[in-house]
Every structure is written in C-alpha cells, then in structure tokens.
Amino acid sequence: MPGQIKVCIFGSLYSSCLMDVMDLYAEKISCSLISELSASDFLQAEELYISFLGSLLYPKVEKTAEVALRELCSALTFLFVPVLRCMTDKSFSCGRFPQKESIVYQWFDHPCSGGTRNPVKAINVEKEVGAPWNGNNLFNTVKLCELKLRDDDIFEIFYHGTSHESAEDIIDGIDLRKGGKGMDFSSGDGFYVSKDLCLAREWAAHRFGENNSAVLVFQVRKVELRGDSNDNGLDLTGIDRKGKWKELVKIFLSKKPSKRFLKTIKGYDFIEGPMVAKGRDEFLIFPKSKNDSYQLCVRTDNCVSLFDRSLCAVIYFA
C-alpha cells in the first residue's frame, strides 16, 4: 500500500512537471534562442537526466526523485521549448505558397529582393480545375508581360522548373553540387535551364506535383553569357554537331565521366543542345535527341554567378 501511494505521488509530480513544460511551450519564445544554446547547456541537462535516473534506480542517493525530476523538467524546458516552438511555427506557416499566400495572380517583391542583387519579383498562381496549361494561357495567367522582360539581341530569357522549397534555395544562390547524377550534359555538377516556360512548369509538376511546382525566370545578358566571340559555351545544337552530342551524352548518362574527358570540356562555362528523348535508359548506348528541344547546362562558378545576378522572377504554382 505505501508503495502504491509513492507511485501515485510520483506520477502526480511527473504529470505536474510535464504540464509546466507544456504551459511554457505555449508561450511566445523566439526560435533564435536555439542558436544561443552552448555545449555546457546540453551537458547540464545530461547531468540532471543522469541524476534523475539515479534517483529512481538508487533510492539512497542524496537527491529525491521529486527534486531530480523537477530539475530535469527545468532543463528540458530550457532546451526543448524553443525547438518545439520553432517547429510549431514552421508547421502553422506552411500553406499553398511559400511567400505571401494571400496574394494571388499579382506580382510582389520577393523578400530576398534588394541589396547587391537585382530585384526578384514573385507571383502565386492557382490552377483552375479543368483548365489546361497551354502556351498562351500559361503566359497570360502568370502575367509575364507585366515584367516587360527582354528577349532580343541584348538579353535571353531562360526558365528553370523546380519545387517550392528548392526555388527558395536557388534564390539564395545556385549550387552546382546539387545537380543530379547521369544527366544529359553533367553528372552531379550542372544546373539546367530551358527557353520554354510550359516545359519548365510541366517538368516541375511531373517531378514535384502540381501544387508544389515553381518556375524561376532569368533574364541573361547575351554578351556576358556567350562572350564577345560567342565561345564561352559548347554549342551542340544543329545536325552537324549530332555526332558530338551523342558522344558527350553517352558519357554523362553512364554516370562515370573520366577525368580525361572532363578536362576536354573544362574551359566551357555551359553546354547547350537538344534533350535526350524519353526512355533515356534505352539510349545509353545509342542516345537519341528529342525533336525541337533545347536546354542549357550551367557548369562553372562564373556562369553560376551570372545566372544568380540575372534571376528576375519566380512563379509558384498550386
């Protein structure tokens, strides 16, 4: 009977401490507190945790289970409340769009705009049920004409399809190391863009889902991209370059480009040419290009810097 009373009292104390933790958890604690924690804070919690277990296993220790439990709860409150709060805030902030969810079909300044980079515009677009995304319909829906972008002798427009989350990362800066293995013109070290908005959106929707797709828009100055002599990149467009295209694609699709081969293309900032046709696994030995397709693969830090500076808009689809 006395043992049962002790268990009940201990259980009540434990529940009381947990309620204290939950009450504090509900308070407005900044996520920035997490960065202020030091190694000694975690060591202190560990010591209290060991003390608590010792109180349970060895009744003769100096501290009672009640004292040890309260000290443990105090440490847990200090360490984990900011973490839980941050996770909760992140969860409740999740919605259809990563930026300004209440603004739809209207361009706004992305939070990363300003500073040393060009302003980046953003727009949230909802797909109407049963309405197909064709060229004119998509272009008019996202209102690209309002940005007055130039695609002429001075500038080129490129598009990159991705997910909402990855779009936010790319806005912070392109990372070539995140490129996929065994791609058409790269293997773990490339960033791809096209000149077709519909194609970029379609690829993103197929890969990440209709409600989690995004397209980044780049307006790149031609002379900076291609150079005065138009020799900054490796051009594999045209029938006369078909043989070289097949040879290069075959090597990259194998996911094992040799160091000797990589040296032959090291001097190029980018590689451009047609895409590999669907069912690429069937063309590992004899690659076949997709009709009327085009892609450009960014391959150097210099070219990355140019595209980072040239990013002008992001379209979020849901």
Side-chain angles (χ1 to χ4, degrees):
M1 190 69 175
Q4 293 179 349
I5 294 176
K6 288 182 179 180
V7 171
C8 291
I9 294 175
F10 181 79
S12 298
L13 290 172
Y14 181 73
S15 299
S16 176
C17 289
L18 284 181
M19 289 303 296
D20 290 341
V21 172
M22 294 305 295
D23 289 340
L24 287 174
Y25 164 57
E27 295 178 3
K28 294 182 178 180
I29 300 178
S30 172
C31 294
S32 62
L33 289 176
I34 300 173
S35 61
E36 298 174 3
L37 300 178
S38 64
S40 61
D41 295 323
F42 288 92
L43 289 175
Q44 181 183 5
E46 182 181 5
E47 291 174 357
L48 290 172
Y49 180 63
I50 294 174
S51 175
F52 166 64
L53 292 179
S55 299
L56 295 179
L57 299 175
Y58 305 101
K60 293 182 179 181
V61 296
E62 184 177 354
K63 289 184 179 179
T64 64
E66 176 184 349
V67 174
L69 180 57
R70 287 193 178 279
E71 291 181 352
L72 175 63
C73 286
S74 177
L76 291 176
T77 299
F78 175 72
L79 289 173
F80 297 128
V81 168
V83 178
L84 293 173
R85 183 67 185 179
C86 184
M87 292 173 62
T88 302
D89 289 345
K90 185 70 174 178
S91 176
F92 282 113
S93 66
C94 293
R96 298 171 302 166
F97 304 107
Q99 302 292 341
K100 298 187 178 182
E101 184 179 356
S102 61
I103 302 178
V104 183
Y105 299 120
Q106 181 180 340
W107 289 103
F108 57 86
D109 292 330
H110 192 280
C112 289
S113 296
T116 58
R117 65 176 302 155
N118 292 332
V120 177
K121 292 291 185 178
I123 190 171
N124 298 322
V125 178
E126 289 181 314
K127 187 178 186 299
E128 296 181 7
V129 178
W133 286 125
N134 55 46
N136 293 331
N137 181 29
L138 179 60
F139 190 88
N140 293 332
T141 301
V142 301
K143 302 181 178 180
L144 274 178
C145 57
E146 293 184 4
L147 299 183
K148 298 180 179 180
L149 302 179
R150 295 176 58 183
D151 193 2
D152 49 30
D153 294 337
I154 307 298
F155 293 96
E156 290 184 71
I157 302 299
F158 294 97
Y159 305 97
H160 175 82
T162 186
S163 66
H164 288 178
E165 182 180 1
S166 294
E168 297 297 286
D169 291 338
I170 294 170
I171 291 173
D172 289 335
I174 298 169
D175 187 352
L176 294 181
R177 295 170 299 179
K178 293 185 178 180
K181 293 284 187 179
M183 305 300 287
D184 297 359
F185 301 151
S186 64
S187 188
D189 57 355
F191 178 79
Y192 288 80
V193 294
S194 71
K195 293 187 176 182
D196 189 329
L197 172 61
C198 288
L199 179 64
R201 190 218 63 84
E202 181 181 338
W203 184 90
H206 176 75
R207 180 75 180 273
F208 304 105
E210 289 282 358
N211 297 328
N212 187 34
S213 57
V215 174
L216 296 159
V217 185
F218 302 86
Q219 181 178 250
V220 184
R221 189 175 290 273
K222 279 188 176 181
V223 68
E224 291 188 62
L225 175 64
R226 303 186 178 279
D228 295 329
S229 302
N230 198 32
D231 57 359
N232 284 357
L234 176 59
D235 184 2
L236 298 178
T237 61
I239 298 178
D240 57 327
R241 299 183 178 92
K242 191 173 182 179
K244 192 170 184 178
W245 176 89
K246 285 186 176 182
E247 179 184 351
L248 182 141
V249 167
K250 181 180 176 181
I251 293 174
F252 277 122
L253 290 182
S254 71
K255 301 181 182 180
K256 298 177 181 179
S258 65
K259 292 182 179 179
R260 182 178 180 181
F261 166 75
L262 292 176
K263 284 183 179 180
T264 64
I265 61 172
K266 186 177 181 180
Y268 296 111
D269 284 342
F270 63 89
I271 301 175
E272 61 182 337
M275 302 175 181
V276 175
K278 291 183 178 179
R280 62 171 57 199
D281 291 340
E282 302 174 7
F283 302 121
L284 288 177
I285 300 178
F286 302 105
K288 182 179 179 181
S289 61
K290 183 179 180 180
N291 294 332
D292 301 322
S293 65
Y294 172 86
Q295 63 184 339
L296 182 146
C297 175
V298 176
R299 291 194 49 83
T300 66
D301 291 338
N302 181 57
C303 200
V304 164
S305 178
L306 173 60
F307 271 82
D308 280 339
R309 298 194 308 270
S310 303
L311 176 62
C312 59
V314 55
I315 307 165
Y316 301 107
F317 294 95

Coordinates of all heavy atoms in Angstrom, one line a residue, residues 40-93:
S40 N 27.7 23.6 -22.9 CA 27.6 23.4 -21.5 C 26.1 23.2 -21.0 O 25.8 22.5 -20.1 CB 28.2 24.6 -20.7 OG 27.6 25.8 -21.1
D41 N 25.2 23.9 -21.8 CA 23.8 23.8 -21.5 C 23.3 22.3 -21.7 O 22.6 21.8 -20.9 CB 23.0 24.7 -22.4 CG 23.3 26.2 -22.2 OD1 23.5 26.5 -21.0 OD2 23.3 26.9 -23.1
F42 N 23.8 21.7 -22.8 CA 23.4 20.3 -23.0 C 24.0 19.4 -22.0 O 23.4 18.4 -21.6 CB 23.8 19.9 -24.5 CG 22.9 20.6 -25.5 CD1 23.3 21.8 -26.1 CD2 21.8 20.0 -25.9 CE1 22.5 22.4 -27.0 CE2 21.0 20.6 -26.9 CZ 21.4 21.8 -27.4
L43 N 25.3 19.7 -21.6 CA 25.9 18.8 -20.6 C 25.2 18.9 -19.3 O 25.1 17.9 -18.6 CB 27.4 19.3 -20.4 CG 28.3 18.9 -21.6 CD1 29.7 19.6 -21.4 CD2 28.4 17.4 -21.8
Q44 N 24.7 20.1 -19.0 CA 24.0 20.3 -17.7 C 22.7 19.5 -17.7 O 22.4 18.9 -16.7 CB 23.6 21.8 -17.5 CG 22.9 22.1 -16.2 CD 22.5 23.6 -16.1 OE1 22.7 24.3 -17.1 NE2 21.9 23.9 -15.0
A45 N 22.0 19.5 -18.8 CA 20.8 18.7 -19.0 C 21.1 17.2 -18.8 O 20.3 16.5 -18.2 CB 20.1 19.0 -20.3
E46 N 22.2 16.8 -19.4 CA 22.6 15.4 -19.4 C 22.9 15.0 -17.9 O 22.5 13.9 -17.5 CB 23.8 15.2 -20.2 CG 24.3 13.7 -20.2 CD 25.5 13.5 -21.1 OE1 26.1 14.5 -21.6 OE2 26.0 12.4 -21.2
E47 N 23.6 15.9 -17.2 CA 23.9 15.6 -15.8 C 22.6 15.4 -15.0 O 22.4 14.6 -14.1 CB 24.8 16.7 -15.2 CG 26.2 16.7 -15.8 CD 27.0 17.8 -15.3 OE1 26.4 18.7 -14.6 OE2 28.2 18.0 -15.7
L48 N 21.6 16.3 -15.2 CA 20.4 16.3 -14.5 C 19.6 15.0 -14.9 O 18.9 14.4 -14.0 CB 19.5 17.5 -14.8 CG 20.1 18.9 -14.2 CD1 19.3 20.0 -14.8 CD2 20.0 18.8 -12.7
Y49 N 19.7 14.6 -16.1 CA 19.0 13.4 -16.6 C 19.5 12.2 -15.9 O 18.8 11.3 -15.4 CB 19.1 13.3 -18.1 CG 18.5 12.1 -18.7 CD1 17.1 11.9 -18.6 CD2 19.2 11.1 -19.3 CE1 16.4 10.8 -19.1 CE2 18.6 10.0 -19.8 CZ 17.2 9.9 -19.7 OH 16.6 8.8 -20.3
I50 N 20.9 12.1 -15.8 CA 21.5 11.0 -15.1 C 21.2 11.0 -13.6 O 20.9 10.0 -13.0 CB 23.1 11.1 -15.2 CG1 23.4 10.9 -16.7 CG2 23.8 10.1 -14.4 CD1 24.9 11.1 -17.0
S51 N 21.1 12.2 -13.0 CA 20.7 12.4 -11.6 C 19.3 11.9 -11.4 O 19.0 11.2 -10.4 CB 20.9 13.8 -11.2 OG 20.4 14.0 -9.9
F52 N 18.4 12.2 -12.3 CA 17.1 11.8 -12.2 C 16.9 10.2 -12.3 O 16.2 9.6 -11.5 CB 16.3 12.4 -13.4 CG 14.9 11.8 -13.6 CD1 13.9 11.9 -12.6 CD2 14.6 11.2 -14.8 CE1 12.7 11.3 -12.8 CE2 13.4 10.6 -15.0 CZ 12.4 10.7 -14.0
L53 N 17.6 9.6 -13.2 CA 17.6 8.2 -13.3 C 18.2 7.5 -12.1 O 17.7 6.5 -11.6 CB 18.4 7.7 -14.6 CG 17.8 8.1 -15.9 CD1 18.7 7.6 -17.0 CD2 16.4 7.5 -16.0
G54 N 19.3 8.2 -11.6 CA 19.9 7.6 -10.3 C 18.9 7.6 -9.2 O 18.9 6.7 -8.3
S55 N 18.1 8.7 -9.1 CA 17.1 8.8 -8.0 C 16.1 7.7 -8.1 O 15.5 7.3 -7.1 CB 16.4 10.2 -8.1 OG 17.3 11.2 -7.9
L56 N 15.8 7.3 -9.3 CA 14.8 6.2 -9.5 C 15.4 4.8 -9.2 O 14.7 4.0 -8.6 CB 14.2 6.2 -10.9 CG 13.4 7.5 -11.3 CD1 13.0 7.3 -12.8 CD2 12.2 7.7 -10.4
L57 N 16.6 4.6 -9.6 CA 17.2 3.3 -9.5 C 17.8 3.1 -8.2 O 17.9 1.9 -7.7 CB 18.2 3.1 -10.6 CG 17.7 3.2 -12.1 CD1 18.8 3.1 -13.1 CD2 16.7 2.0 -12.3
Y58 N 18.4 4.1 -7.6 CA 19.1 4.0 -6.3 C 18.5 5.0 -5.3 O 18.9 6.1 -5.2 CB 20.6 4.3 -6.5 CG 21.2 3.4 -7.6 CD1 21.4 3.9 -8.8 CD2 21.5 2.1 -7.3 CE1 22.0 3.1 -9.8 CE2 22.0 1.3 -8.3 CZ 22.3 1.8 -9.5 OH 22.8 1.0 -10.5
P59 N 17.5 4.6 -4.5 CA 16.9 5.4 -3.5 C 17.8 6.1 -2.5 O 17.4 7.1 -1.9 CB 15.9 4.5 -2.8 CG 15.7 3.4 -3.8 CD 17.0 3.2 -4.5
K60 N 19.0 5.6 -2.3 CA 19.9 6.1 -1.3 C 20.7 7.3 -1.7 O 21.4 7.9 -1.0 CB 20.9 5.0 -0.8 CG 20.2 3.8 -0.1 CD 21.2 2.8 0.3 CE 20.6 1.7 1.1 NZ 21.6 0.7 1.6
V61 N 20.5 7.7 -3.0 CA 21.2 8.9 -3.5 C 20.7 10.1 -2.7 O 19.6 10.1 -2.2 CB 21.1 9.1 -5.0 CG1 21.7 8.0 -5.7 CG2 19.6 9.3 -5.3
E62 N 21.5 11.1 -2.7 CA 21.2 12.3 -1.9 C 19.9 13.0 -2.4 O 19.1 13.4 -1.6 CB 22.4 13.3 -1.9 CG 22.1 14.5 -1.0 CD 23.3 15.4 -1.1 OE1 24.4 15.0 -1.7 OE2 23.3 16.5 -0.5
K63 N 19.7 13.1 -3.7 CA 18.6 13.8 -4.2 C 17.4 12.8 -4.3 O 17.5 11.7 -4.6 CB 18.8 14.3 -5.6 CG 19.8 15.5 -5.6 CD 19.9 16.1 -7.0 CE 20.8 17.3 -7.1 NZ 21.0 17.8 -8.4
T64 N 16.2 13.3 -3.9 CA 15.0 12.5 -4.0 C 14.5 12.6 -5.5 O 14.9 13.4 -6.3 CB 13.9 13.1 -3.2 OG1 13.5 14.4 -3.6 CG2 14.3 13.2 -1.7
A65 N 13.7 11.6 -5.8 CA 13.1 11.5 -7.2 C 12.4 12.8 -7.5 O 12.4 13.3 -8.7 CB 12.2 10.3 -7.3
E66 N 11.7 13.4 -6.5 CA 10.9 14.6 -6.7 C 11.8 15.8 -7.2 O 11.6 16.5 -8.2 CB 10.2 15.0 -5.5 CG 9.4 16.3 -5.6 CD 8.7 16.7 -4.3 OE1 8.7 15.8 -3.4 OE2 8.3 17.8 -4.2
V67 N 12.9 15.9 -6.4 CA 13.9 17.0 -6.7 C 14.5 16.8 -8.1 O 14.6 17.7 -8.9 CB 15.0 17.2 -5.6 CG1 16.0 18.2 -6.0 CG2 14.3 17.5 -4.3
A68 N 15.0 15.6 -8.3 CA 15.7 15.3 -9.6 C 14.7 15.5 -10.8 O 15.1 16.0 -11.8 CB 16.2 13.8 -9.6
L69 N 13.5 15.1 -10.6 CA 12.5 15.2 -11.7 C 12.2 16.7 -12.0 O 12.1 17.0 -13.2 CB 11.2 14.5 -11.3 CG 10.1 14.5 -12.4 CD1 10.6 13.9 -13.7 CD2 8.9 13.8 -11.9
R70 N 12.1 17.5 -11.0 CA 11.8 18.9 -11.2 C 13.0 19.6 -11.9 O 12.8 20.4 -12.8 CB 11.5 19.6 -9.9 CG 10.1 19.2 -9.3 CD 9.7 20.2 -8.2 NE 8.4 19.9 -7.7 CZ 7.3 20.3 -8.3 NH1 7.3 21.0 -9.4 NH2 6.1 20.0 -7.8
E71 N 14.2 19.2 -11.5 CA 15.4 19.8 -12.1 C 15.5 19.3 -13.6 O 15.9 20.1 -14.5 CB 16.7 19.3 -11.3 CG 16.8 20.0 -10.0 CD 18.0 19.6 -9.2 OE1 18.7 18.7 -9.8 OE2 18.3 20.2 -8.2
L72 N 15.2 18.1 -13.8 CA 15.2 17.6 -15.2 C 14.2 18.3 -16.1 O 14.5 18.7 -17.2 CB 14.9 16.1 -15.2 CG 14.8 15.4 -16.6 CD1 16.1 15.5 -17.4 CD2 14.3 14.0 -16.5
C73 N 13.0 18.5 -15.6 CA 11.9 19.2 -16.3 C 12.4 20.6 -16.6 O 12.1 21.2 -17.7 CB 10.6 19.2 -15.6 SG 9.8 17.5 -15.6
S74 N 13.1 21.2 -15.6 CA 13.5 22.6 -15.8 C 14.5 22.6 -17.0 O 14.5 23.5 -17.8 CB 14.2 23.1 -14.5 OG 14.7 24.4 -14.7
A75 N 15.4 21.6 -17.0 CA 16.4 21.6 -18.1 C 15.8 21.4 -19.4 O 16.1 22.0 -20.4 CB 17.5 20.5 -17.8
L76 N 14.8 20.4 -19.4 CA 14.1 20.1 -20.7 C 13.3 21.3 -21.2 O 13.3 21.6 -22.4 CB 13.2 18.9 -20.5 CG 13.8 17.6 -20.2 CD1 12.8 16.5 -20.0 CD2 14.7 17.2 -21.4
T77 N 12.7 22.0 -20.3 CA 12.0 23.3 -20.6 C 12.9 24.2 -21.3 O 12.6 24.8 -22.4 CB 11.4 23.9 -19.4 OG1 10.5 23.0 -18.8 CG2 10.7 25.2 -19.8
F78 N 14.1 24.4 -20.7 CA 15.1 25.4 -21.3 C 15.6 25.0 -22.7 O 15.7 25.8 -23.6 CB 16.2 25.5 -20.3 CG 17.3 26.4 -20.9 CD1 17.2 27.8 -20.9 CD2 18.5 25.9 -21.3 CE1 18.2 28.6 -21.4 CE2 19.5 26.7 -21.8 CZ 19.4 28.1 -21.9
L79 N 15.8 23.7 -22.8 CA 16.4 23.2 -24.1 C 15.4 23.0 -25.2 O 15.7 23.4 -26.3 CB 17.2 21.9 -23.8 CG 18.5 22.1 -23.0 CD1 19.0 20.7 -22.7 CD2 19.5 22.8 -23.8
F80 N 14.3 22.4 -24.9 CA 13.4 21.9 -25.9 C 12.2 22.8 -26.3 O 11.6 22.7 -27.3 CB 12.9 20.5 -25.6 CG 14.0 19.5 -25.5 CD1 14.1 18.7 -24.4 CD2 14.9 19.4 -26.5 CE1 15.2 17.8 -24.3 CE2 16.0 18.5 -26.4 CZ 16.1 17.7 -25.3
V81 N 11.8 23.7 -25.4 CA 10.7 24.6 -25.7 C 11.0 25.5 -26.9 O 10.1 25.6 -27.8 CB 10.4 25.5 -24.4 CG1 9.4 26.6 -24.9 CG2 9.7 24.6 -23.4
P82 N 12.2 26.1 -27.0 CA 12.4 26.9 -28.2 C 12.4 26.0 -29.5 O 11.9 26.5 -30.5 CB 13.8 27.4 -28.0 CG 14.0 27.4 -26.5 CD 13.3 26.2 -26.1
V83 N 12.9 24.8 -29.4 CA 12.9 23.9 -30.6 C 11.5 23.5 -31.0 O 11.1 23.6 -32.1 CB 13.7 22.6 -30.3 CG1 13.6 21.7 -31.4 CG2 15.1 22.9 -29.9
L84 N 10.6 23.1 -30.0 CA 9.3 22.8 -30.3 C 8.5 24.0 -30.8 O 7.6 23.8 -31.7 CB 8.6 22.2 -29.0 CG 9.1 20.9 -28.5 CD1 8.5 20.6 -27.1 CD2 8.8 19.8 -29.5
R85 N 8.8 25.1 -30.2 CA 8.1 26.4 -30.7 C 8.4 26.7 -32.1 O 7.5 27.0 -32.9 CB 8.5 27.5 -29.8 CG 7.8 28.8 -30.1 CD 6.3 28.8 -29.8 NE 5.6 29.9 -30.2 CZ 4.3 30.1 -30.1 NH1 3.6 29.2 -29.5 NH2 3.7 31.2 -30.5
C86 N 9.7 26.5 -32.5 CA 10.1 26.8 -33.8 C 9.5 25.8 -34.8 O 9.0 26.2 -35.9 CB 11.6 26.7 -33.9 SG 12.3 27.1 -35.5
M87 N 9.4 24.5 -34.4 CA 8.8 23.5 -35.3 C 7.3 23.8 -35.5 O 6.7 23.7 -36.5 CB 9.0 22.1 -34.6 CG 10.4 21.6 -34.6 SD 10.6 20.1 -33.7 CE 9.6 19.0 -34.7
T88 N 6.6 24.2 -34.4 CA 5.2 24.5 -34.5 C 4.9 25.7 -35.4 O 4.0 25.7 -36.2 CB 4.6 24.8 -33.1 OG1 4.8 23.7 -32.2 CG2 3.1 25.1 -33.1
D89 N 5.7 26.8 -35.2 CA 5.6 28.0 -36.0 C 5.8 27.6 -37.5 O 5.1 28.1 -38.4 CB 6.6 29.1 -35.6 CG 6.3 29.7 -34.3 OD1 5.1 29.5 -33.8 OD2 7.2 30.3 -33.7
K90 N 6.8 26.8 -37.7 CA 7.1 26.3 -39.1 C 5.9 25.6 -39.7 O 5.5 25.8 -40.8 CB 8.3 25.5 -39.1 CG 8.8 25.1 -40.5 CD 9.3 26.2 -41.3 CE 9.9 25.8 -42.6 NZ 10.4 26.9 -43.4
S91 N 5.3 24.7 -38.8 CA 4.2 23.9 -39.3 C 3.0 24.7 -39.6 O 2.3 24.6 -40.7 CB 3.8 22.9 -38.2 OG 2.7 22.1 -38.6
F92 N 2.6 25.7 -38.7 CA 1.5 26.5 -39.0 C 1.7 27.5 -40.1 O 0.7 28.0 -40.7 CB 1.1 27.3 -37.7 CG 0.4 26.5 -36.7 CD1 1.0 26.1 -35.5 CD2 -0.9 25.9 -37.0 CE1 0.3 25.4 -34.6 CE2 -1.5 25.2 -36.0 CZ -0.9 24.9 -34.8
S93 N 2.9 27.8 -40.4 CA 3.2 28.8 -41.5 C 3.1 28.1 -42.9 O 3.1 28.8 -43.9 CB 4.6 29.4 -41.3 OG 5.6 28.4 -41.5

